[in-house]
Amino acid sequence: MEFTTKRLIIRRLKVSDLEAVLAHRSDPYTSRYIGKPATLADAQARIAQAQLPWAGKEGERLILAIECKESAKLIGELMFKFVSVDHQCGEIGYRLASQHHGKGYAFEASSALIKEVFTQFELNKLNAICAVDNIASWKLMEKLGMKREGRLRSYMTLPSGTTDCFTYGVLKHEVM
């Protein structure tokens, strides 16, 4: 899968992305609500996983790079996976390098991803999950038209400890 927006190119990760992937995935700031900061081996494994042919099986992640057209630099990642093929339900995720926060890139990339997956796949619903303290993430989900559907207690383990998560969802007819 590859597509563009006004300012971004969304594409598969490449081996040449290693330095940028390591930089944003090892950053304690961008990792604080997602998990432990990545090592070089973690970043290499992420790229290797992203380069495998994607079969669209339940739970299999489609990992995509967010590249800025102007700079031709990787600034973050998107993720899509089927939660249930039979029930036409998927999940999205996103991560942006901290120096690119607050510029609208996450909204631009995520809203385009939502439209792409609803167009390309037989989906009725998309979910997203974030730590309750990750205010920027759940505000982005709301801006994307997603609705808060619940709170998952002690759902995620972070370097700071176990945390609750909010779960959000959007239906195809709400955005298409």
Side-chain angles (χ1 to χ4, degrees), residues 123-172:
L123 284 172
N124 180 53
K125 182 177 183 178
L126 281 173
N127 295 321
I129 296 170
C130 70
V132 296
D133 291 336
N134 193 348
I135 297 166
S137 188
W138 58 256
K139 282 189 173 186
L140 174 60
M141 291 175 198
E142 291 174 356
K143 187 176 179 181
L144 290 165
M146 301 181 102
K147 294 178 179 40
R148 186 178 297 172
E149 297 182 339
R151 184 179 187 127
L152 304 169
R153 297 178 308 136
S154 291
Y155 190 77
M156 187 183 295
T157 301
L158 302 174
S160 61
T162 303
T163 186
D164 292 1
C165 289
F166 288 135
T167 180
Y168 277 78
V170 66
L171 303 175
K172 183 176 184 174

Side-chain angles (χ1 to χ4, degrees), residues 10-56:
I10 310 302
R11 58 167 175 76
R12 300 295 292 265
L13 283 174
K14 304 182 281 194
V15 173
S16 60
D17 294 324
L18 179 61
E19 187 178 316
V21 169
L22 179 60
H24 75 259
R25 295 189 75 77
S26 65
D27 181 351
Y29 181 77
T30 62
S31 297
R32 72 191 187 283
Y33 297 122
I34 299 172
K36 65 180 181 146
T39 64
L40 175 59
D42 295 333
Q44 290 169 325
R46 181 89 172 168
I47 290 173
Q49 178 189 12
Q51 292 187 315
L52 294 173
W54 186 72

